[in-house]
Amino acid sequence: MTRSEVVGMFDHIAPLYDAMNTLMTAGIDARWRSAAVAAAELGPGMRVLDVACGTGKLALACAQRVRPGGEVVGLDASLPMLRRAVRAARRAAAGPAGMEVRLRWVRGDAMALPFVDGTFDALTIGFGLRNLPDAGAGLREMARVLLPGGRLVVLEVGEPPGGLPRLLYETWFRRAVPVLGRVAGRGSAYAYLPRSVRDYPRPDEVAALMREAGLERVTWRWLTSGMVTLHVGRRSAPTPEA
């Protein structure tokens, strides 16, 4: 699919996106987001960018960790997704705890982030890297807007290498999920999902791309069912001039 087709697909599935994610993962997606937020090592007053923010769930989870005084920017190419994120943020702000952070929602391209170098303390991307036309170039762009020492956290679906996780992946993710998509009237979108995972680099290859993008101390691990990976790296500090 072309980039514009991918964006159009997400525009189309926005009304069902959260419900389908909960159904497809039996609600485990909330735990995956919690693991990503913990890996970002956020604290009060920090500035965070969530790329491919979708309906804003990961961005809002980050917001809880940077209050008071922090800032979270959610960026996505899909306007219908961003509209849902705005509504979710308003509901969160109206709650008893409020937000105590600055939230911004930006429509933009992950391959050309509209921010100057070294803007953010941390950057997250949840289930978005495999949708980019060039994962390596996207990672370089994300590393660019991080402050030296800033953490980049990548949460993504991956093909398990074998065993029970592989069996679950083959029977549920590759076969059942497209059927659920057709029942929901979004067949082409949820047929694309397993194809995009199949074409996504292996976890060790993603780690290598992160290092090539200028990130150091890169680590990764499987989460829960063995179908989701969590990669973490830090932007390298500039080398002192002799």
Side-chain angles (χ1 to χ4, degrees), residues 40 71 73 79 83 94 100 126 134 148 162 177 179 181 199 210 228:
E71 179 181 21
V73 179
L79 188 56
R83 286 172 177 156
E100 299 177 299
D134 185 330
V177 166
V179 173
D199 296 336
M210 291 176 71
V228 173

Side-chain angles (χ1 to χ4, degrees), residues 150-153 210 215-219 231-235:
R151 296 174 74 87
L152 171 60
V153 177
M210 291 176 71
L215 299 163
E216 58 188 12
R217 288 192 276 175
V218 175
T219 61
H231 284 75
V232 184
R234 290 181 182 270
R235 181 183 172 186

Side-chain angles (χ1 to χ4, degrees), residues 60 85-95 103 105:
L60 291 173
V86 169
R87 289 197 288 271
R90 286 173 179 165
R91 290 193 296 270
L103 278 168
W105 307 100

Side-chain angles (χ1 to χ4, degrees), residues 218-231:
V218 175
T219 61
W220 71 272
R221 61 188 173 99
W222 292 102
L223 295 182
T224 317
S225 63
M227 290 191 293
V228 173
T229 55
L230 184 67
H231 284 75

